[in-house]
Amino acid sequence: MTLTSLRKPTIGVVDIWRIPLGDPDGYDELLSPAERERLRTRIGTGRVRFVQSHAALRRIVALYQGCAPRLAALRVPYGQAPRADGIELSLAYCDDIALVAVATTPVGVDVEPRAAGHDEDLDELAELTLSRRELATFRSAPDRAATWLRAWTRKEAVLKARGEGIGERLVSEIDVASEHVEELTLSDLAPTEEHVGAVALRNPETTMVWKELA
Amino acid sequence: MSRAEARAQVIRALAEKKRRSPADLETELRAAGEECPYDSIWLVKAGVRAAKNMGVKFTPRASDACAFKSVEALTTYLCERASQEDAA
């Protein structure tokens, strides 16, 4: 039986899939052998998030490829962006939510709980992670926690869109004060009332289309 | 400061930030692998707190970016910084 493919996003469009995380029972069957091997290193809530988010990623890719999840052409190398034929992907998850960004040009997505912006050492965090321009904005911001967290999620999204890891360069060197960072366009996300995020897309403009995975 | 002491500082700081017990955190980290990789936002938070507690000034150079890849990398960085400041 041939399944109908979901239409891929056009240039400049990012499909953002919002996935609530919860009971992982049954979802580990959707994981690849390599993912199951990595699953052995996860315990507790980390295990739940891994199973659900990776299974959701496979189901989403299968929708675009018009096949059953087990047959999706998807590779998820450790520490790197997931790769699938014909589409660009990025996965982020925290607490009880995951986001999958799908586009036709390189894309990066990040999500964090709003509470992550609140920290007793926020001033030191800002000095360590923000560029000079961002730091000026931070110091005059009415909501410093939200300002710092917005910058952080943008930086993570930029790194992921470029295929770089957090440990490859200082995040303070990535200036995300503007919505355009060289070849990337940044958009802030509010996937739920309790979470914030950002998406970076290699395109002069970005249109986001929110999708829910049943 | 010994590496073990520096690592204990990192674990304690991470546990405080995550509001979990150091023992639970240690179990999770060990399961993840020898290097103890962790979510970077929490490693950055823990690094700042641990540096403060250790009296170490946190001024990483570009080559130190890898400090935020794992608990072990962060421990190595803070240990080296502490030694440099003791020697200065």
Side-chain angles (χ1 to χ4, degrees):
Chain A
M1 181 179 75
T2 303
L3 301 174
T4 304
S5 304
L6 190 65
R7 186 175 297 180
K8 294 173 193 171
T10 53
I11 297 283
V13 175
V14 181
D15 286 349
I16 308 257
W17 292 82
R18 178 170 38 208
I19 305 118
L21 303 180
D23 184 0
D25 280 352
Y27 285 106
D28 56 345
E29 296 173 0
L30 295 178
L31 302 185
S32 69
E35 287 170 313
R36 285 189 210 174
E37 183 61 29
R38 284 166 59 190
L39 183 61
R40 292 174 57 209
T41 65
R42 309 293 173 117
I43 60 174
T45 53
R47 182 183 181 87
V48 170
R49 288 181 209 140
F50 182 93
V51 171
Q52 278 244 302
S53 59
H54 281 248
L57 176 64
R58 184 165 292 277
R59 289 174 61 201
I60 289 165
V61 169
L63 288 172
Y64 289 98
Q65 294 179 348
C67 65
R70 289 178 193 278
L71 301 177
L74 169 67
R75 298 169 301 286
V76 192
Y78 179 69
Q80 297 177 37
R83 296 180 193 144
D85 295 343
I87 49 178
E88 299 284 340
L89 295 166
S90 182
L91 166 68
Y93 56 89
C94 73
D95 288 359
D96 54 358
I97 189 172
L99 297 180
V100 172
V102 181
T104 49
T105 55
V107 63
V109 70
D110 189 47
V111 64
E112 301 289 352
R114 284 187 194 275
H118 296 278
D119 195 295
E120 290 178 9
D121 305 308
L122 189 59
D123 285 342
E124 291 86 347
L125 271 173
E127 286 175 18
L128 178 65
T129 58
L130 301 183
S131 68
R132 195 173 298 177
R133 193 164 60 144
E134 292 162 355
L135 204 48
T137 302
F138 167 83
R139 285 174 175 149
S140 62
D143 186 341
R144 290 185 165 196
T147 301
W148 178 79
L149 191 59
R150 179 169 57 245
W152 179 270
T153 56
R154 285 185 171 195
K155 290 169 190 277
E156 284 268 31
V158 165
L159 286 170
K160 291 169 93 166
R162 289 178 172 166
E164 296 176 20
I166 197 75
E168 293 177 33
R169 66 150 95 182
L170 294 176
V171 289
S172 56
E173 294 176 355
I174 306 167
D175 187 307
V176 294
S178 139
E179 288 178 354
H180 292 275
V181 179
E182 296 176 11
E183 79 283 14
L184 301 172
T185 303
L186 303 179
S187 302
D188 297 320
L189 306 175
T192 75
E193 285 187 8
E194 291 83 32
H195 298 90
V196 294
V199 65
L201 179 71
R202 188 190 290 178
N203 198 71
E205 295 177 338
T206 304
T207 300
M208 289 182 292
V209 177
W210 284 95
K211 293 182 180 293
E212 304 280 341
L213 192 62
Chain B
M1 178 177 283
S2 70
R3 183 181 176 83
E5 288 167 337
R7 191 178 186 282
Q9 288 280 355
V10 172
I11 295 295
R12 190 174 309 128
L14 190 54
E16 282 176 14
K17 296 294 184 182
K18 290 291 290 182
R19 296 183 185 174
R20 294 177 58 189
S21 77
D24 280 350
L25 199 60
E26 195 67 76
T27 302
E28 182 183 341
L29 287 168
R30 291 295 177 198
E34 203 175 301
E35 276 298 305
C36 302
Y38 209 76
D39 195 355
S40 54
I41 190 172
W42 295 104
L43 284 175
V44 167
K45 285 169 172 270
V48 165
R49 171 57 65 86
K52 211 185 237 185
N53 290 344
M54 292 165 64
V56 167
K57 196 164 168 55
F58 212 135
T59 53
R61 301 156 296 183
S63 56
D64 298 325
C66 58
F68 301 114
K69 278 190 157 177
S70 67
V71 166
E72 298 306 324
L74 182 56
T75 299
T76 298
Y77 171 79
L78 289 173
C79 224
E80 287 174 357
R81 288 291 298 136
S83 297
Q84 286 165 8
E85 294 203 359
D86 285 346

